[in-house]
Amino acid sequence: MKKHFKIAIQMDPLEKINPYEDSTFVIAKEAQDRGYKIFHYLPKDISLKNNKIIARGSYFKIINSKKKFFKKEKKQSVSLNDFHCVLIRQDPPFNMEYITATYFLEMLDKNVMVINNPTEIRNNPEKLSMFKFKNIIPQTLVSKNLKEIKNFINKNPFTILKPMYGNGGEGIEKVKRGSLKNNEIINKMIKKYKGAIIAQKFIKEIDKGDRRIILIDGDYVGSVARIPKKGSIKANFHAGGSAQKTGLVFKDRKICKILKSYLKNKGLFFTGIDVIGNYLTEINVTSPTGMQEINKLNSVKLEKIFWDKLEKKITK
């Protein structure tokens, strides 16, 4: 029996979505197949009006067309309290606009399910929340102090540098101990990203892939190994990495077990953790991807598991 849920999705413009790769596309398609009504709005179009959280956007339907995959209704303003569930599916950057949206969504009635919990999205930046699990992460420094970063680099043959709030492999650099270019690279990154950067010991097992592991309500549901192009250290799909089938390898099972209760307790329902070798390197909570790649490699439909689990939580 189909349930007549109303779902709002806070995300980037529909026109930017790749229906053949994007996780949100299959989540929305499955919602539509179940008879849900789906509303889309941009993060900039959420507002607080007379103690009501208002979003301006459009109901839409996914259609079978070569030109575009969706058909939008006329734009309108709606109260998000009238929805059963709000999905936060916008890509980073994690900036003040993003943070403001989390404040607004916190004000919704308690019977409106927000995935992921906006308070915990704000409190668990992708590249920082892993520090709560110090025994399963690689040697890592977060700093904007040139001397500190150089000292860290000099302790290992190779170091990975990356921006704090980037995504999709943006800005990642591999630097060598003692290289004359290091000062220039560090200063350029600090200037470009306007703040602290992350220095992380290079994990040689990257050649076996940077594994994206999908956890739904704390439970492992699938994983994919992202293999860098030859001569590259960037494994992200956006940066040219290729998808390879994988199960739970190295210490993946142990890492998932350690994270499970934390994610469940914090309301981080849909997460994508990144693991290289034996080390957890990120906990992605804002807009995890990888569903479609896992589906294709394993002939599964993770979006069905997503909604099966979420339906049980929607009580309105």
Side-chain angles (χ1 to χ4, degrees):
M1 178 178 150
K2 289 187 176 180
K3 296 178 175 64
H4 299 289
F5 290 141
K6 287 174 66 176
I7 309 298
I9 306 179
Q10 174 179 300
M11 62 182 294
D12 302 315
L14 291 174
E15 291 79 5
K16 290 187 175 181
I17 297 300
N18 183 340
Y20 303 105
E21 296 178 1
D22 196 272
S23 294
T24 311
F25 173 80
V26 291
I27 289 171
K29 178 67 167 61
E30 177 65 18
Q32 179 173 293
D33 290 347
R34 294 183 181 218
Y36 307 167
K37 284 193 72 176
I38 319 167
F39 184 84
H40 166 266
Y41 69 94
L42 302 175
K44 69 180 182 66
D45 292 327
I46 184 174
S47 56
L48 174 62
K49 184 179 181 182
N50 298 330
N51 292 326
K52 283 188 176 181
I53 307 303
I54 305 297
R56 184 159 179 80
S58 304
Y59 285 98
F60 72 97
K61 286 188 176 179
I62 293 170
I63 57 174
N64 187 14
S65 169
K66 290 183 179 179
K67 291 185 178 179
K68 61 181 182 180
F69 70 86
F70 61 89
K71 184 178 181 180
K72 288 196 284 191
E73 294 182 9
K74 189 177 179 181
K75 218 168 191 183
Q76 59 180 289
S77 294
V78 299
S79 169
L80 289 181
N81 275 327
D82 294 336
F83 287 77
H84 296 89
C85 181
V86 177
L87 300 180
I88 304 173
R89 290 293 302 164
Q90 76 203 71
D91 284 338
F94 189 86
N95 54 20
M96 285 310 298
E97 184 179 81
Y98 201 116
I99 289 171
T100 301
T102 67
Y103 289 137
F104 287 164
L105 293 172
E106 281 177 332
M107 298 180 191
L108 288 173
D109 291 346
K110 296 301 179 188
N111 56 359
V112 180
M113 182 69 62
V114 183
I115 300 298
N116 284 322
N117 180 328
T119 305
E120 296 306 332
I121 283 180
R122 192 173 62 244
N123 291 346
N124 287 275
E126 322 277 28
K127 297 177 177 68
L128 288 181
S129 55
M130 69 174 197
F131 284 95
K132 296 180 175 77
F133 308 96
K134 60 183 180 180
N135 293 328
I136 53 173
I137 65 172
Q139 294 175 29
T140 307
L141 169 74
V142 181
S143 177
K144 62 182 295 185
N145 182 286
L146 179 64
K147 186 176 180 181
E148 279 186 340
I149 298 169
K150 283 179 65 179
N151 286 342
F152 183 92
I153 289 171
N154 288 334
K155 291 177 182 175
N156 297 291
F158 293 98
T159 298
I160 296 295
L161 301 178
K162 51 187 176 181
M164 175 85 80
Y165 298 113
N167 72 309
E170 178 195 1
I172 295 177
E173 299 277 357
K174 180 183 177 184
V175 296
K176 185 177 181 180
R177 179 168 56 200
S179 171
L180 297 177
K181 294 181 179 179
N182 288 347
N183 277 17
E184 181 186 347
I185 292 170
I186 296 165
N187 282 322
K188 191 175 179 180
M189 286 185 71
I190 291 171
K191 184 178 179 181
K192 181 176 180 180
Y193 296 105
K194 299 178 174 63
I197 61 174
I198 294 172
Q200 203 164 72
K201 180 183 177 181
F202 175 69
I203 306 167
K204 64 181 186 301
E205 287 82 4
I206 185 64
D207 62 349
K208 295 179 175 62
D210 178 349
R211 296 183 300 289
R212 165 55 55 85
I213 298 174
I214 298 292
L215 302 169
I216 298 181
D217 203 20
D219 293 326
Y220 169 79
V221 295
S223 50
V224 58
R226 300 171 295 186
I227 310 296
K229 282 183 178 178
K230 190 174 181 180
S232 173
I233 47 103
K234 295 183 181 182
N236 304 69
F237 296 134
H238 290 301
S242 60
Q244 188 177 98
K245 186 173 180 176
T246 185
L248 293 172
V249 295
F250 291 92
K251 292 184 179 177
D252 291 350
R253 197 176 300 277
K254 178 184 177 182
I255 291 170
C256 291
K257 187 176 180 181
I258 290 170
L259 293 178
K260 181 174 179 174
S261 61
Y262 179 82
L263 298 175
K264 282 180 72 73
N265 292 338
K266 296 296 184 182
L268 296 171
F269 177 83
F270 182 36
T271 55
I273 64 172
D274 294 341
V275 183
I276 304 173
N278 288 320
Y279 297 103
L280 172 71
T281 59
E282 285 186 26
I283 303 175
N284 295 274
V285 300
T286 53
S287 182
T289 59
M291 266 192 171
Q292 290 216 44
E293 290 78 11
I294 294 169
N295 284 350
K296 289 167 189 172
L297 289 168
N298 299 280
S299 299
V300 294
K301 289 193 173 183
L302 296 189
E303 63 273 20
K304 288 186 177 294
I305 301 173
F306 179 94
W307 284 115
D308 285 346
K309 285 179 173 285
L310 193 49
E311 276 186 5
K312 295 174 183 176
K313 290 180 175 290
I314 297 174
T315 56
K316 188 174 177 180

